[in-house]
Amino acid sequence: MKKKVAVTLLIAMFAAGAGMGCGQVKERVNAEGESVITVWSPSDEPAIEEWWEEKTAEFNEAHKGSIHLQREAIVRADSYAYEDKVNAAITSNDLPDILYVDGPNVSVYAANGITLPLDDFFPQEEWDDFLGSSKDQNTYDGKMYAVSATESSVALYYNKDMLTEAGIRIPGSKEEAWTWSEYYEAAEKLTKEGVVGTNIIMDKGEGLPYVLEQFWISNGTDFVSGDGSKADGYINSPEGVEAAEFLNSLIQGGYANIDPIQKEFHNERAATMLGGSWEVATLEKDYPDLNWGVTYFPVADNGGILTSPTGDWAASVTKDVQDMDAVKEVMNFLFSKENVTTYAQAISKPPTRVSSYDVLTEYDEYPRSIFKEQLMETGHPRPRTPSYSVLSAGFSEAMLNIFTGVDAKTALDEAAAAMDKDYKKYYSEE
């Protein structure tokens, strides 16, 4: 967790001038006189690597003699290998032209002038075709700083056989989504020897804020203020403390594990799971005998807000770009309707372009329709604040501490104080 904070501090030092004067941007023209445009993105599964190879070759063939596109796949050997490479490039003025960043980190790069606004990269009719949830994620200070090809969502997966045997109601619409009380009661009823009622921990890093923030939002608050400048009074508000205590009740009751086994739901060791949209393809391919279903994200009692997580990796344009016209040509190619559609198909995630759903009609059918509906009607991105890395690490640490006995208000107060200190030190105009 400390290393993630260091990532933010390094970027902040760059903004303050510590990274200046470390060299000039290298000339980006090859021997053929073509403008070389470089893309950095994390390495991915074979289907995506094949997509990149095919599309890079297609672009280069069409632009022979003028633009040469090259993509560098960066292996994420550990949680921060990608970020470490980016930070080294920031200090040496050697960033790629196009840099893929995880959704919640769009703000920190934008706030520090590392990436540039993209509002004029696409005409309005093109922007109108992108999902609102994706545009919200990639907006900072009223401007668009990144573009995504895919979205993500989280819903409640359930073991049909276990719920049927227990006589538990399965919601048929988002308006019928389980309340927290119903979720708790179901988890309690479904817990038996060798099986817990639910799985709420995707991972102990970014997975915690990505999934669990929705309990804050549904309860009428959020992690931070609307302008992203303050966590105190939000993440640790009475509503926030109540959300944390509810989640802790699942752990303390023995209805969810703080250390779940790998693929706990898939291996029938958990009756339900708060899982990502990508799990549909995994379950269909690798667990054909499991009788499962998907329903909507649980809502707070007494009229809680219908909500669900969103956000995925997005392409930004860096300050080190030399040939802006060439970069615009590449971005328009990568995020055309056709290429967004084929990319989403290859990676088994929902596309960000509304028109792509005319082609990917599987999202009109259950269970993928659940995720499409949530993205279009209930999606909320993670907080847009340049202090997100500090917030994320602080929240994850707070929840793990709460799950092991620390008072919820005390733990959340510490997370709020850490984020507010970072924002005030590096981003406040006071």
Side-chain angles (χ1 to χ4, degrees):
M1 291 181 183
K2 290 181 179 179
K3 192 169 184 180
K4 194 161 193 175
V5 175
V7 170
T8 298
L9 295 179
L10 179 58
I11 292 174
M13 287 190 293
F14 167 84
M20 303 300 288
C22 297
Q24 300 299 314
V25 178
K26 299 173 184 176
E27 186 176 15
R28 298 178 176 180
V29 179
N30 63 17
E32 287 72 37
E34 298 170 322
S35 182
V36 178
I37 303 301
T38 302
V39 176
W40 283 4
S41 66
S43 59
D44 215 311
E45 58 190 55
I48 288 299
E49 294 305 316
E50 290 172 12
W51 184 93
W52 274 107
E53 289 179 14
E54 176 186 330
K55 293 301 176 180
T56 300
E58 179 184 327
F59 181 89
N60 288 336
E61 180 63 29
H63 295 81
K64 188 175 293 185
S66 58
I67 307 172
H68 181 79
L69 173 62
Q70 61 183 32
R71 178 248 182 176
E72 182 176 347
I74 300 171
V75 177
R76 304 193 78 194
D78 62 56
S79 298
Y80 306 108
Y82 188 88
E83 289 78 6
D84 289 346
K85 183 175 178 66
V86 172
N87 284 324
I90 289 171
T91 58
S92 62
N93 288 331
D94 197 25
L95 286 163
D97 302 277
I98 297 171
L99 174 68
Y100 275 69
V101 300
D102 198 5
N105 294 326
V106 169
S107 295
V108 66
Y109 291 111
N112 287 297
I114 294 164
T115 56
L116 307 175
L118 308 180
D119 299 76
D120 66 346
F121 271 53
F122 303 92
Q124 190 58 48
E125 58 266 27
E126 291 286 302
W127 282 122
D128 289 345
D129 192 38
F130 285 88
L131 290 172
S133 59
S134 181
K135 288 186 288 189
D136 286 347
Q137 172 203 264
N138 296 324
T139 298
Y140 177 74
D141 197 24
K143 296 179 181 179
M144 197 77 66
Y145 278 89
V147 188
S148 305
T150 53
E151 257 290 16
S152 67
S153 185
V154 171
L156 185 67
Y157 290 77
Y158 59 90
N159 185 301
K160 288 184 178 180
D161 295 335
M162 293 181 186
L163 266 67
T164 299
E165 182 181 347
I168 294 173
R169 176 184 73 87
I170 299 171
S173 69
K174 63 181 184 298
E175 291 78 15
E176 297 173 354
W178 283 351
T179 63
W180 291 359
S181 294
E182 289 177 299
Y183 184 28
Y184 181 91
E185 291 165 5
E188 181 181 28
K189 196 171 184 179
L190 291 162
T191 299
K192 55 186 179 182
E193 186 176 355
V195 179
V196 291
T198 195
N199 179 306
I200 61 173
I201 297 179
M202 185 176 294
D203 63 52
K204 293 183 178 179
E206 183 57 28
L208 284 171
Y210 171 62
V211 176
L212 301 185
E213 181 195 6
Q214 306 310 306
F215 288 89
W216 271 246
I217 294 173
S218 189
N219 211 30
T221 186
D222 204 339
F223 286 173
V224 300
S225 58
D227 63 0
S229 66
K230 189 174 179 60
D232 187 39
Y234 296 87
I235 195 171
N236 59 343
S237 66
E239 296 83 1
V241 171
E242 184 179 20
E245 289 177 341
F246 168 73
L247 292 164
N248 190 38
S249 72
L250 293 168
I251 299 290
Q252 300 308 317
Y255 312 138
N257 289 320
I258 190 173
D259 292 306
I261 65 169
Q262 188 175 17
K263 301 293 184 183
E264 190 175 51
F265 174 79
H266 308 60
N267 292 311
E268 300 187 76
R269 298 288 296 277
T272 65
M273 167 185 72
L274 288 173
S277 48
W278 54 89
E279 295 287 7
V280 171
T282 299
L283 289 165
E284 289 176 340
K285 178 183 176 183
D286 298 333
Y287 299 85
D289 297 328
L290 185 65
N291 190 17
W292 58 275
V294 180
T295 188
Y296 303 87
F297 205 98
V299 298
D301 291 353
N302 304 313
I305 297 167
L306 289 164
T307 184
S308 54
T310 66
D312 205 358
W313 285 77
S316 60
V317 173
T318 78
K319 66 178 183 64
D320 292 344
V321 65
Q322 288 189 348
D323 189 340
M324 187 63 76
D325 289 338
V327 167
K328 286 183 178 180
E329 187 75 13
V330 171
M331 290 287 280
N332 274 268
F333 172 79
L334 292 177
F335 295 97
S336 67
K337 175 185 173 181
E338 178 186 353
N339 286 336
V340 165
T341 302
T342 56
Y343 184 92
Q345 198 168 33
I347 203 170
S348 298
K349 288 184 179 181
T352 53
R353 294 194 67 140
V354 176
S355 57
S356 295
Y357 290 95
D358 295 337
V359 178
L360 302 179
T361 55
E362 59 266 32
Y363 285 96
D364 293 329
E365 301 175 6
Y366 177 87
R368 288 174 174 80
S369 57
I370 298 288
F371 296 102
K372 177 183 175 183
E373 183 180 1
Q374 287 194 156
L375 284 169
M376 292 189 171
E377 299 182 20
T378 67
H380 282 88
R382 278 158 284 181
R384 288 169 292 174
T385 173
S387 294
Y388 183 78
S389 291
V390 176
L391 173 68
S392 172
F395 175 77
S396 297
E397 183 174 6
M399 291 308 300
L400 294 174
N401 287 338
I402 291 166
F403 292 158
T404 53
V406 174
D407 173 71
K409 181 67 163 62
T410 300
L412 294 173
D413 282 348
E414 291 179 1
M419 198 216 92
D420 288 359
K421 180 180 179 181
D422 182 83
Y423 189 92
K424 185 175 182 180
K425 182 174 182 179
Y426 296 110
Y427 304 106
S428 176
E429 296 180 0
E430 295 178 2

